[in-house]
Amino acid sequence: MFIKFMFALRAAGLKISLDQWLVLMEALDKGMAENSLLEFYNLARNVLVKRESDYDKFDMGFLEYFKNIKSIEELPPELMEWLSTEELERELWDRPEGLERHDLKELMEMFEERLKEQTEKHDGGNYWIGTGGTSPMGHGGYNPQGIRVGGEGRHQSAVKIAGERKFRDFRQDNELNIRQFQMAFRKLRQFSTRVDSAKTELDIDETIKATGDNAGMLKLVYEKPRKNTVKLLLLIDSDGSMWKHTQLVNQLFQALHQSTHLKDLKTYYFHNCIYENLYTTPMCHYGDWVDTEWVLNNLGSDYKVIVVGDASMSPYELLSRGGNINWYNYNEEPGIYWLQRIRKQYEKSIWLNPIKEERWEYAYGHRTIGEIRNIFPMFELTLDGLDQGIKKLL
């Protein structure tokens, strides 16, 4: 049952185990979806999705499978007008018991038959599409399952909810925004150490333990504040093929500079590849630079290094002397020499690439991407990629 739905979800990238699928089938057999597509949407998502970052994958698969379901709103306008304006009020104790239940296929067949037969509005009763009563079609009545038509909508349709894709920003493979950058970089605070000072910072874990040991009576425990020792060198590829990634890289830059947990942050720029000079501004203008040798001599090996760039260029720009495309600056050493120097000095260094990882093998510049991957651990510039990269720095 619904086996094609499972394959649609898997095609959208959602990992579903056989055990999860059997649990969903058992829940359907017990009527937990109540013949409602919306209830089925909620039920299936609760059973099959374990992480909020996978909600959007579920929505995409759901939308693909159920996209051709026709809306009840395609009814004659006069019928919809009456059903949307008439509402009967009844007391809860008038609700009848022991109503006959139907599966979704039966309900849809009954609904089509009623549309052909019915010629006027109807209130109450158990047969026609109307308001009140116990008919499984209409609104304002007391049938616990059926097809709601008209009236004030209490919920959006499942297909519409899935189509809105409200959870796309929760995806782990999404490109990042400033807030997500900041939350990811907070993990670098694991490098912080205690300083010799008064105990003024509340220790949550020890407070909970001490309170439990104190028979539930609150007992606060304080600790010495932490001083972060992380020093970060950020090297950013600017202009050229990176132009289309400008907004994303700018968000990363702002997130880091708004962070307060780093002991030191140094930022330099390069164009396509690093040569004898590193620029001090993203415009990479003549003379606005420092010697790369000076950076290596003055920033110790305790700095963590993040290089941001697409690593995509002509091979001679990476592998040849004079590969620097700026007419005013002939490089004596190939770019790969400087990358190897940086990697050798800074053991904790990574490369973040805004190009999707699935394209690294065949995108323009795939050869240079491959060469640089042999030097730096390279990660895609997404939530997953940044998380993996920070773990590597740790």
Side-chain angles (χ1 to χ4, degrees):
M1 182 180 183
F2 288 130
I3 192 66
K4 292 183 178 180
F5 177 51
M6 181 180 72
F7 289 128
L9 294 177
R10 286 182 171 177
L14 187 65
K15 296 180 180 179
I16 303 173
S17 69
L18 182 58
D19 286 343
Q20 287 176 293
W21 190 254
L22 292 176
V23 169
L24 177 60
M25 294 300 101
E26 183 180 356
L28 289 175
D29 287 341
K30 292 182 177 180
M32 297 181 68
E34 298 182 353
N35 291 324
S36 164
L37 189 59
L38 179 59
E39 291 301 324
F40 173 75
Y41 168 87
N42 291 325
L43 174 66
R45 194 179 73 178
N46 287 335
V47 172
L48 302 178
V49 182
K50 300 303 181 184
R51 302 187 306 169
E52 62 182 13
S53 57
D54 288 334
Y55 281 169
D56 187 60
K57 296 175 184 177
F58 176 83
D59 282 350
M60 291 179 64
F62 188 94
L63 188 65
E64 176 63 26
Y65 185 77
F66 290 103
K67 63 184 178 181
N68 294 323
I69 288 185
K70 295 182 179 180
S71 172
I72 294 299
E73 295 175 0
E74 299 175 5
L75 294 175
E78 59 274 12
L79 177 59
M80 283 303 300
E81 180 181 359
W82 162 63
L83 287 171
S84 297
T85 56
E86 296 274 345
E87 186 73 64
L88 295 183
E89 297 291 339
R90 300 249 181 129
E91 297 297 334
L92 288 178
W93 53 74
D94 288 339
R95 179 173 174 171
E97 300 293 338
L99 292 173
E100 183 180 1
R101 300 184 67 88
H102 306 277
D103 63 31
L104 186 57
K105 182 179 179 181
E106 291 175 335
L107 282 171
M108 293 306 298
E109 291 175 351
M110 292 167 57
F111 184 74
E112 292 178 0
E113 291 176 2
R114 300 300 184 275
L115 282 178
K116 294 176 182 178
E117 298 172 356
Q118 190 164 342
T119 59
E120 60 184 9
K121 69 178 186 178
H122 194 84
D123 297 322
N126 61 5
Y127 186 81
W128 299 110
I129 302 171
T131 60
T134 60
S135 171
M137 294 159 287
H139 74 88
Y142 303 106
N143 198 307
Q145 53 99 60
I147 302 174
R148 178 181 176 85
V149 187
E152 181 181 356
R154 296 187 178 96
H155 304 284
Q156 290 177 288
S157 71
V159 175
K160 185 174 182 181
I161 291 174
E164 289 178 349
R165 295 184 61 192
K166 293 181 178 180
F167 298 97
R168 69 177 69 201
D169 291 337
F170 289 79
R171 294 178 66 107
Q172 286 292 101
D173 55 354
N174 260 354
E175 291 185 346
L176 303 157
N177 57 35
I178 293 177
R179 176 61 176 166
Q180 291 167 324
F181 271 125
Q182 289 176 325
M183 295 303 295
F185 283 124
R186 283 169 64 94
K187 297 175 183 178
L188 287 174
R189 292 191 302 179
Q190 294 181 34
F191 288 105
S192 61
T193 58
R194 299 290 170 191
V195 297
D196 188 14
S197 64
K199 294 183 177 181
T200 58
E201 186 174 291
L202 182 64
D203 188 326
I204 301 296
D205 292 335
E206 287 302 318
T207 294
I208 294 174
K209 183 178 182 300
T211 300
D213 293 341
N214 198 31
M217 297 296 291
L218 180 63
K219 185 175 181 179
L220 301 177
V221 178
Y222 293 89
E223 61 185 355
K224 295 178 181 180
R226 292 177 294 179
K227 181 179 180 181
N228 202 292
T229 60
V230 176
K231 294 187 286 187
L232 183 65
L233 172 59
L234 180 64
L235 305 175
I236 302 176
D237 188 358
S238 182
D239 212 355
S241 59
M242 284 293 291
W243 178 255
K244 58 180 171 291
H245 307 297
T246 298
Q247 182 179 359
L248 179 62
V249 175
N250 183 54
Q251 289 172 341
L252 179 146
F253 177 84
Q254 291 184 54
L256 275 174
H257 278 264
Q258 291 172 13
S259 299
T260 59
H261 58 275
L262 295 174
K263 181 179 180 179
D264 188 32
L265 173 64
K266 294 288 190 289
T267 305
Y268 297 102
Y269 303 87
F270 62 92
H271 180 58
N272 280 353
C273 193
I274 296 172
Y275 301 104
E276 283 87 348
N277 302 311
L278 287 166
Y279 295 90
T280 55
T281 68
M283 284 71 73
C284 299
H285 288 163
Y286 176 83
D288 292 339
W289 59 51
V290 297
D291 292 341
T292 306
E293 191 72 50
W294 181 92
V295 172
L296 293 172
N297 291 336
N298 287 273
L299 301 184
S301 59
D302 57 335
Y303 274 80
K304 319 304 173 191
V305 177
I306 297 179
V307 187
V308 183
D310 58 16
S312 176
M313 65 198 85
S314 297
Y316 80 90
E317 294 181 72
L318 175 67
L319 304 173
S320 303
R321 292 182 178 182
N324 190 341
I325 63 173
N326 295 321
W327 61 270
Y328 51 73
N329 193 18
Y330 179 90
N331 56 292
E332 294 292 338
E333 300 291 347
I336 196 170
Y337 164 81
W338 292 104
L339 296 183
Q340 290 169 339
R341 286 275 309 273
I342 291 171
R343 175 60 177 163
K344 183 178 180 180
Q345 175 155 328
Y346 303 104
E347 179 183 357
K348 301 298 183 181
S349 56
I350 62 171
W351 190 293
L352 297 177
N353 196 326
I355 296 177
K356 295 294 184 183
E357 184 175 359
E358 62 191 28
R359 298 178 50 214
W360 289 354
E361 298 291 340
Y362 62 86
Y364 168 76
H366 63 89
R367 180 182 173 186
T368 56
I369 292 175
E371 292 284 353
I372 293 174
R373 289 178 68 187
N374 290 331
I375 302 172
F376 289 92
M378 185 177 289
F379 304 93
E380 186 180 342
L381 195 48
T382 60
L383 277 173
D384 268 342
L386 185 55
D387 282 344
Q388 295 167 15
I390 289 178
K391 289 179 182 178
K392 191 71 174 178
L393 289 179
L394 295 175

